[in-house]
Amino acid sequence: MDIINAQPLNAEQIAGLDNPFNYTTWRGKVILWVTFGLFVAACIAFSISMIVAKSEKIRKFSLTYTMITAIAATAYLSMAFEQGYFIKENGRQMYYARYIDWFFTTPLLIYELATLAGVGLPLTLAAIFFDILMIVTGLFGALTYRESVRWGWFAIGCFAFIPVVYLILFNFRKYLNEKTRFPYTVQSIYLCGIWLLYPLAWGLTEGGYIIREDWEHLWFAILDIIAKIFFGFNTIFLFRKYLPYSEGSIADAKPDAPRHPEMWRNETVTKPDAYFSPKPITPGTRNRKNASATANNRVEMQ
């Protein structure tokens, strides 16, 4: 049992634990272990991509998805070990380990979209702030058994989700150019579409207790796999040629600012300075420059 629940359980909690609807059975454990294995495999794949990358842009994106999948794998391992949960008043297990996962991974996903679009730091932080607020309010709602308070936190979380969707689907698009427009459009709609299913899953599980604990694990596992593993593979392998080199240096207050200056480089370039190295001076060019300087000196002497 988790350390949070070290205190004695009351009669209602004990009765709830006797109901398979409220706790994780062997089916749920299989789901958690399989999901953990998938995230470990994805983490290894992204790590290999980071190591063998021939350009810094691929290495940077691969590193971020390595961290995302590693965090998710850790969370699912803790749940598979029957840790990271809290027993509510009705005896149902509430896995707060899942919210710890989302607290760290969803901001990284937003950061990846912002990097792809070339958005500056202020707007990126704004989207991350409302995303974290949404996760925290969802956790507060899941921790309480009082129905009015639970759905109140859910409503606040939904309101916090609105700015996230607006920034990703509309505001970030102002910074796109001809190279990033297509991949960003696909990835932003993909991610927001998946994220819209999370409140529905929350309402049927932590909110309304309509779905049993095992199927709650299945639902969230499928959503996490699609939102993290598939999303990362799309970015790294399907849209790799569209990835910007830099993190985006467009000023948020200047809509006419140059977009993505010098960020698409040849994949074979391993030294960034080589792209900006001066042109070699041939002997003929040096002689012409010396002759020109001599002629100028003569004119000055006259």
Side-chain angles (χ1 to χ4, degrees), residues 223-269:
L223 292 179
D224 285 342
I225 291 170
I226 297 174
K228 296 181 177 72
I229 298 179
F230 289 174
F231 183 83
F233 274 100
N234 284 346
T235 303
I236 299 299
F237 301 107
L238 186 60
F239 297 127
R240 65 187 296 123
K241 67 179 181 179
Y242 298 104
L243 299 182
Y245 182 82
S246 70
E247 296 182 359
S249 57
I250 307 170
D252 292 338
K254 297 180 179 179
D256 297 328
R259 303 186 177 187
H260 294 311
E262 307 295 349
M263 62 175 56
W264 282 276
R265 303 185 184 178
N266 194 314
E267 284 287 303
T268 59
V269 176

Short mmCIF file of all heavy atoms in Angstrom, two decimals, residues 223-269:
data_model
loop_
_atom_site.label_atom_id
_atom_site.label_comp_id
_atom_site.label_asym_id
_atom_site.label_seq_id
_atom_site.Cartn_x
_atom_site.Cartn_y
_atom_site.Cartn_z
N LEU A 223 -4.35 6.83 -24.68
CA LEU A 223 -4.17 8.26 -24.95
C LEU A 223 -2.72 8.69 -24.76
O LEU A 223 -2.18 9.46 -25.58
CB LEU A 223 -5.08 9.08 -24.03
CG LEU A 223 -6.59 8.96 -24.27
CD1 LEU A 223 -7.36 9.80 -23.26
CD2 LEU A 223 -6.95 9.39 -25.69
N ASP A 224 -2.06 8.20 -23.72
CA ASP A 224 -0.67 8.57 -23.48
C ASP A 224 0.25 8.05 -24.59
O ASP A 224 1.18 8.74 -25.01
CB ASP A 224 -0.20 8.02 -22.13
CG ASP A 224 -0.75 8.81 -20.95
OD1 ASP A 224 -1.19 9.95 -21.17
OD2 ASP A 224 -0.72 8.29 -19.82
N ILE A 225 0.00 6.85 -25.05
CA ILE A 225 0.82 6.28 -26.13
C ILE A 225 0.67 7.10 -27.41
O ILE A 225 1.66 7.42 -28.09
CB ILE A 225 0.44 4.81 -26.37
CG1 ILE A 225 0.88 3.95 -25.18
CG2 ILE A 225 1.07 4.29 -27.66
CD1 ILE A 225 0.34 2.53 -25.22
N ILE A 226 -0.56 7.47 -27.74
CA ILE A 226 -0.79 8.24 -28.96
C ILE A 226 -0.21 9.65 -28.83
O ILE A 226 0.39 10.19 -29.77
CB ILE A 226 -2.30 8.30 -29.27
CG1 ILE A 226 -2.83 6.90 -29.56
CG2 ILE A 226 -2.57 9.21 -30.47
CD1 ILE A 226 -4.34 6.84 -29.74
N ALA A 227 -0.39 10.26 -27.66
CA ALA A 227 0.03 11.66 -27.47
C ALA A 227 1.53 11.81 -27.28
O ALA A 227 2.05 12.91 -27.50
CB ALA A 227 -0.70 12.26 -26.26
N LYS A 228 2.23 10.75 -26.88
CA LYS A 228 3.66 10.86 -26.63
C LYS A 228 4.49 10.07 -27.64
O LYS A 228 5.34 10.63 -28.33
CB LYS A 228 3.96 10.39 -25.20
CG LYS A 228 3.32 11.25 -24.11
CD LYS A 228 3.69 10.72 -22.74
CE LYS A 228 3.12 11.61 -21.62
NZ LYS A 228 1.67 11.49 -21.49
N ILE A 229 4.24 8.78 -27.75
CA ILE A 229 5.08 7.95 -28.62
C ILE A 229 4.80 8.26 -30.09
O ILE A 229 5.73 8.58 -30.86
CB ILE A 229 4.85 6.46 -28.33
CG1 ILE A 229 5.26 6.14 -26.88
CG2 ILE A 229 5.65 5.61 -29.31
CD1 ILE A 229 5.04 4.70 -26.49
N PHE A 230 3.55 8.14 -30.51
CA PHE A 230 3.23 8.38 -31.92
C PHE A 230 3.53 9.82 -32.33
O PHE A 230 4.03 10.08 -33.42
CB PHE A 230 1.76 8.05 -32.19
CG PHE A 230 1.44 6.59 -32.15
CD1 PHE A 230 0.14 6.14 -32.24
CD2 PHE A 230 2.45 5.65 -31.99
CE1 PHE A 230 -0.16 4.79 -32.20
CE2 PHE A 230 2.17 4.30 -31.94
CZ PHE A 230 0.85 3.86 -32.04
N PHE A 231 3.21 10.75 -31.44
CA PHE A 231 3.49 12.16 -31.72
C PHE A 231 4.98 12.40 -31.91
O PHE A 231 5.41 13.12 -32.81
CB PHE A 231 2.96 13.02 -30.57
CG PHE A 231 3.11 14.50 -30.78
CD1 PHE A 231 2.18 15.20 -31.53
CD2 PHE A 231 4.17 15.19 -30.22
CE1 PHE A 231 2.31 16.58 -31.72
CE2 PHE A 231 4.31 16.55 -30.41
CZ PHE A 231 3.38 17.24 -31.16
N GLY A 232 5.79 11.80 -31.07
CA GLY A 232 7.23 11.95 -31.19
C GLY A 232 7.79 11.32 -32.44
O GLY A 232 8.66 11.91 -33.11
N PHE A 233 7.30 10.14 -32.81
CA PHE A 233 7.78 9.49 -34.02
C PHE A 233 7.40 10.30 -35.26
O PHE A 233 8.16 10.37 -36.23
CB PHE A 233 7.23 8.07 -34.12
CG PHE A 233 8.06 7.06 -33.39
CD1 PHE A 233 7.68 6.60 -32.14
CD2 PHE A 233 9.22 6.55 -33.95
CE1 PHE A 233 8.46 5.68 -31.46
CE2 PHE A 233 10.00 5.62 -33.28
CZ PHE A 233 9.62 5.18 -32.03
N ASN A 234 6.22 10.92 -35.24
CA ASN A 234 5.84 11.79 -36.36
C ASN A 234 6.83 12.94 -36.52
O ASN A 234 7.26 13.27 -37.63
CB ASN A 234 4.44 12.35 -36.13
CG ASN A 234 3.35 11.34 -36.40
OD1 ASN A 234 3.59 10.30 -37.00
ND2 ASN A 234 2.15 11.62 -35.97
N THR A 235 7.19 13.55 -35.39
CA THR A 235 8.09 14.70 -35.44
C THR A 235 9.49 14.31 -35.90
O THR A 235 10.08 14.95 -36.78
CB THR A 235 8.18 15.38 -34.07
OG1 THR A 235 6.86 15.76 -33.65
CG2 THR A 235 9.07 16.60 -34.12
N ILE A 236 10.04 13.26 -35.31
CA ILE A 236 11.43 12.90 -35.56
C ILE A 236 11.64 12.23 -36.91
O ILE A 236 12.61 12.51 -37.62
CB ILE A 236 11.95 11.98 -34.43
CG1 ILE A 236 11.89 12.72 -33.09
CG2 ILE A 236 13.39 11.53 -34.71
CD1 ILE A 236 12.73 13.96 -33.03
N PHE A 237 10.72 11.36 -37.30
CA PHE A 237 10.96 10.54 -38.48
C PHE A 237 10.12 10.95 -39.69
O PHE A 237 10.59 10.85 -40.82
CB PHE A 237 10.71 9.07 -38.14
CG PHE A 237 11.59 8.56 -37.04
CD1 PHE A 237 11.07 8.32 -35.77
CD2 PHE A 237 12.93 8.33 -37.25
CE1 PHE A 237 11.87 7.86 -34.74
CE2 PHE A 237 13.75 7.88 -36.23
CZ PHE A 237 13.22 7.63 -34.98
N LEU A 238 8.91 11.41 -39.47
CA LEU A 238 8.06 11.77 -40.60
C LEU A 238 8.31 13.20 -41.07
O LEU A 238 8.33 13.48 -42.27
CB LEU A 238 6.58 11.60 -40.22
CG LEU A 238 5.55 11.79 -41.34
CD1 LEU A 238 5.79 10.80 -42.47
CD2 LEU A 238 4.13 11.64 -40.80
N PHE A 239 8.53 14.12 -40.12
CA PHE A 239 8.70 15.54 -40.45
C PHE A 239 10.12 16.04 -40.15
O PHE A 239 10.32 17.23 -39.96
CB PHE A 239 7.69 16.39 -39.68
CG PHE A 239 6.26 16.10 -40.01
CD1 PHE A 239 5.35 15.81 -39.00
CD2 PHE A 239 5.82 16.09 -41.32
CE1 PHE A 239 4.02 15.53 -39.31
CE2 PHE A 239 4.49 15.81 -41.63
CZ PHE A 239 3.60 15.53 -40.62
N ARG A 240 11.11 15.16 -40.14
CA ARG A 240 12.45 15.56 -39.73
C ARG A 240 13.07 16.62 -40.64
O ARG A 240 13.81 17.48 -40.18
CB ARG A 240 13.37 14.34 -39.64
CG ARG A 240 13.64 13.65 -40.94
CD ARG A 240 14.42 12.35 -40.72
NE ARG A 240 15.74 12.56 -40.16
CZ ARG A 240 16.15 12.02 -39.03
NH1 ARG A 240 15.34 11.26 -38.32
NH2 ARG A 240 17.37 12.23 -38.59
N LYS A 241 12.74 16.62 -41.91
CA LYS A 241 13.34 17.61 -42.81
C LYS A 241 12.74 19.00 -42.63
O LYS A 241 13.28 19.97 -43.15
CB LYS A 241 13.18 17.17 -44.27
CG LYS A 241 11.74 17.14 -44.76
CD LYS A 241 11.68 16.72 -46.22
CE LYS A 241 10.26 16.70 -46.75
NZ LYS A 241 10.21 16.30 -48.18
N TYR A 242 11.63 19.10 -41.91
CA TYR A 242 11.00 20.40 -41.68
C TYR A 242 11.43 21.03 -40.36
O TYR A 242 11.05 22.16 -40.08
CB TYR A 242 9.48 20.26 -41.67
CG TYR A 242 8.89 19.76 -42.96
CD1 TYR A 242 8.44 18.45 -43.08
CD2 TYR A 242 8.77 20.61 -44.06
CE1 TYR A 242 7.89 17.98 -44.26
CE2 TYR A 242 8.22 20.15 -45.24
CZ TYR A 242 7.77 18.84 -45.35
OH TYR A 242 7.24 18.38 -46.52
N LEU A 243 12.15 20.30 -39.53
CA LEU A 243 12.47 20.80 -38.20
C LEU A 243 13.38 22.02 -38.29
O LEU A 243 14.37 22.00 -39.02
CB LEU A 243 13.13 19.71 -37.36
CG LEU A 243 12.30 18.45 -37.12
CD1 LEU A 243 13.07 17.48 -36.24
CD2 LEU A 243 10.97 18.80 -36.47
N PRO A 244 13.09 23.06 -37.53
CA PRO A 244 13.95 24.25 -37.55
C PRO A 244 15.24 23.99 -36.81
O PRO A 244 15.28 23.21 -35.85
CB PRO A 244 13.11 25.32 -36.84
CG PRO A 244 12.21 24.53 -35.95
CD PRO A 244 11.92 23.24 -36.67
N TYR A 245 16.30 24.67 -37.24
CA TYR A 245 17.59 24.46 -36.60
C TYR A 245 17.64 25.13 -35.23
O TYR A 245 18.09 24.55 -34.27
CB TYR A 245 18.72 25.02 -37.48
CG TYR A 245 20.07 24.78 -36.86
CD1 TYR A 245 20.70 23.55 -37.01
CD2 TYR A 245 20.71 25.76 -36.11
CE1 TYR A 245 21.92 23.29 -36.43
CE2 TYR A 245 21.94 25.51 -35.52
CZ TYR A 245 22.55 24.28 -35.69
OH TYR A 245 23.76 24.05 -35.11
N SER A 246 17.20 26.39 -35.16
CA SER A 246 17.26 27.13 -33.90
C SER A 246 15.96 26.95 -33.15
O SER A 246 15.04 26.30 -33.60
CB SER A 246 17.52 28.61 -34.16
OG SER A 246 16.39 29.20 -34.73
N GLU A 247 15.90 27.55 -31.97
CA GLU A 247 14.69 27.47 -31.16
C GLU A 247 13.69 28.55 -31.51
O GLU A 247 12.67 28.67 -30.87
CB GLU A 247 15.08 27.57 -29.68
CG GLU A 247 15.92 26.41 -29.21
CD GLU A 247 16.24 26.51 -27.75
OE1 GLU A 247 15.80 27.47 -27.11
OE2 GLU A 247 16.92 25.61 -27.25
N GLY A 248 13.98 29.33 -32.54
CA GLY A 248 13.07 30.39 -32.92
C GLY A 248 13.44 31.69 -32.26
O GLY A 248 13.53 31.77 -31.05
N SER A 249 13.69 32.71 -33.06
CA SER A 249 14.12 33.99 -32.50
C SER A 249 13.22 35.12 -32.96
O SER A 249 13.64 36.24 -33.14
CB SER A 249 15.56 34.29 -32.93
OG SER A 249 15.65 34.28 -34.35
N ILE A 250 11.95 34.81 -33.16
CA ILE A 250 11.01 35.83 -33.63
C ILE A 250 10.49 36.62 -32.44
O ILE A 250 10.07 36.04 -31.44
CB ILE A 250 9.83 35.18 -34.37
CG1 ILE A 250 10.35 34.27 -35.46
CG2 ILE A 250 8.91 36.22 -34.95
CD1 ILE A 250 9.31 33.42 -36.08
N ALA A 251 10.52 37.93 -32.56
CA ALA A 251 10.00 38.78 -31.48
C ALA A 251 8.48 38.73 -31.49
O ALA A 251 7.84 38.90 -32.52
CB ALA A 251 10.47 40.21 -31.66
N ASP A 252 7.90 38.43 -30.32
CA ASP A 252 6.43 38.32 -30.25
C ASP A 252 5.74 39.62 -30.63
O ASP A 252 4.63 39.61 -31.16
CB ASP A 252 6.02 37.92 -28.82
CG ASP A 252 6.47 36.52 -28.49
OD1 ASP A 252 6.70 35.76 -29.44
OD2 ASP A 252 6.59 36.20 -27.30
N ALA A 253 6.37 40.76 -30.35
CA ALA A 253 5.73 42.05 -30.60
C ALA A 253 5.96 42.57 -32.01
O ALA A 253 5.48 43.63 -32.36
CB ALA A 253 6.24 43.08 -29.60
N LYS A 254 6.68 41.82 -32.84
CA LYS A 254 6.98 42.27 -34.19
C LYS A 254 6.47 41.25 -35.20
O LYS A 254 7.16 40.29 -35.53
CB LYS A 254 8.49 42.48 -34.36
CG LYS A 254 9.06 43.56 -33.46
CD LYS A 254 10.56 43.72 -33.69
CE LYS A 254 11.13 44.81 -32.79
NZ LYS A 254 12.58 44.97 -32.98
N PRO A 255 5.26 41.45 -35.68
CA PRO A 255 4.71 40.47 -36.62
C PRO A 255 5.46 40.42 -37.94
O PRO A 255 5.39 39.43 -38.66
CB PRO A 255 3.26 40.94 -36.82
CG PRO A 255 3.28 42.38 -36.45
CD PRO A 255 4.31 42.52 -35.37
N ASP A 256 6.18 41.48 -38.28
CA ASP A 256 6.92 41.51 -39.55
C ASP A 256 8.38 41.09 -39.38
O ASP A 256 9.19 41.28 -40.29
CB ASP A 256 6.87 42.92 -40.15
CG ASP A 256 5.45 43.34 -40.50
OD1 ASP A 256 4.66 42.45 -40.85
OD2 ASP A 256 5.16 44.53 -40.40
N ALA A 257 8.72 40.52 -38.22
CA ALA A 257 10.11 40.13 -37.98
C ALA A 257 10.50 38.98 -38.91
O ALA A 257 9.64 38.19 -39.32
CB ALA A 257 10.29 39.71 -36.53
N PRO A 258 11.76 38.87 -39.27
CA PRO A 258 12.19 37.75 -40.13
C PRO A 258 11.94 36.43 -39.44
O PRO A 258 12.12 36.29 -38.22
CB PRO A 258 13.68 38.02 -40.32
CG PRO A 258 14.07 38.88 -39.17
CD PRO A 258 12.88 39.74 -38.89
N ARG A 259 11.54 35.44 -40.20
CA ARG A 259 11.12 34.17 -39.61
C ARG A 259 12.16 33.08 -39.88
O ARG A 259 12.54 32.84 -41.01
CB ARG A 259 9.77 33.76 -40.19
CG ARG A 259 8.72 34.84 -39.95
CD ARG A 259 7.35 34.41 -40.37
NE ARG A 259 6.38 35.44 -40.05
CZ ARG A 259 5.07 35.29 -40.19
NH1 ARG A 259 4.59 34.16 -40.63
NH2 ARG A 259 4.25 36.27 -39.88
N HIS A 260 12.58 32.42 -38.83
CA HIS A 260 13.53 31.32 -38.89
C HIS A 260 14.76 31.67 -39.70
O HIS A 260 15.03 31.07 -40.74
CB HIS A 260 12.87 30.08 -39.49
CG HIS A 260 11.79 29.53 -38.64
ND1 HIS A 260 11.95 29.30 -37.29
CD2 HIS A 260 10.53 29.16 -38.92
CE1 HIS A 260 10.84 28.80 -36.80
NE2 HIS A 260 9.97 28.72 -37.76
N PRO A 261 15.55 32.68 -39.34
CA PRO A 261 16.72 33.01 -40.13
C PRO A 261 17.77 31.91 -40.09
O PRO A 261 18.21 31.49 -39.02
CB PRO A 261 17.24 34.30 -39.46
CG PRO A 261 16.75 34.20 -38.06
CD PRO A 261 15.43 33.49 -38.14
N GLU A 262 18.15 31.44 -41.26
CA GLU A 262 19.26 30.49 -41.42
C GLU A 262 19.12 29.27 -40.51
O GLU A 262 20.06 28.86 -39.86
CB GLU A 262 20.59 31.20 -41.10
CG GLU A 262 20.81 32.48 -41.87
CD GLU A 262 20.94 32.23 -43.37
OE1 GLU A 262 21.07 31.05 -43.76
OE2 GLU A 262 20.92 33.19 -44.12
N MET A 263 17.95 28.64 -40.49
CA MET A 263 17.82 27.50 -39.60
C MET A 263 17.67 26.18 -40.33
O MET A 263 17.65 25.13 -39.71
CB MET A 263 16.67 27.70 -38.62
CG MET A 263 15.30 27.81 -39.22
SD MET A 263 14.06 27.90 -37.94
CE MET A 263 14.64 29.30 -37.01
N TRP A 264 17.50 26.18 -41.64
CA TRP A 264 17.45 24.92 -42.36
C TRP A 264 18.83 24.66 -42.96
O TRP A 264 19.23 25.31 -43.93
CB TRP A 264 16.38 24.94 -43.45
CG TRP A 264 15.06 24.75 -42.83
CD1 TRP A 264 14.46 23.57 -42.50
CD2 TRP A 264 14.16 25.76 -42.40
NE1 TRP A 264 13.27 23.78 -41.89
CE2 TRP A 264 13.04 25.12 -41.82
CE3 TRP A 264 14.18 27.15 -42.43
CZ2 TRP A 264 11.97 25.82 -41.30
CZ3 TRP A 264 13.12 27.84 -41.91
CH2 TRP A 264 12.03 27.17 -41.35
N ARG A 265 19.53 23.76 -42.38
CA ARG A 265 20.88 23.48 -42.84
C ARG A 265 20.96 22.06 -43.38
O ARG A 265 20.12 21.21 -43.08
CB ARG A 265 21.88 23.64 -41.69
CG ARG A 265 21.82 25.02 -41.08
CD ARG A 265 22.88 25.16 -40.04
NE ARG A 265 22.78 26.44 -39.38
CZ ARG A 265 23.57 26.82 -38.40
NH1 ARG A 265 24.53 26.04 -37.99
NH2 ARG A 265 23.43 27.99 -37.83
N ASN A 266 22.01 21.81 -44.09
CA ASN A 266 22.22 20.48 -44.65
C ASN A 266 22.36 19.47 -43.52
O ASN A 266 23.07 19.71 -42.55
CB ASN A 266 23.47 20.49 -45.53
CG ASN A 266 23.53 19.25 -46.40
OD1 ASN A 266 23.30 18.16 -45.92
ND2 ASN A 266 23.82 19.44 -47.67
N GLU A 267 21.72 18.32 -43.68
CA GLU A 267 21.78 17.30 -42.64
C GLU A 267 23.21 16.81 -42.40
O GLU A 267 23.53 16.30 -41.34
CB GLU A 267 20.91 16.10 -43.04
CG GLU A 267 19.42 16.34 -42.88
CD GLU A 267 19.04 16.35 -41.42
OE1 GLU A 267 19.30 15.36 -40.74
OE2 GLU A 267 18.51 17.37 -40.96
N THR A 268 24.08 16.92 -43.40
CA THR A 268 25.43 16.39 -43.25
C THR A 268 26.35 17.34 -42.52
O THR A 268 27.47 16.99 -42.19
CB THR A 268 26.03 16.10 -44.64
OG1 THR A 268 26.05 17.32 -45.40
CG2 THR A 268 25.20 15.08 -45.38
N VAL A 269 25.90 18.57 -42.26
CA VAL A 269 26.74 19.54 -41.56
C VAL A 269 26.76 19.21 -40.08
O VAL A 269 25.72 19.17 -39.43
CB VAL A 269 26.21 20.98 -41.78
CG1 VAL A 269 27.04 21.96 -40.95
CG2 VAL A 269 26.29 21.34 -43.25
#
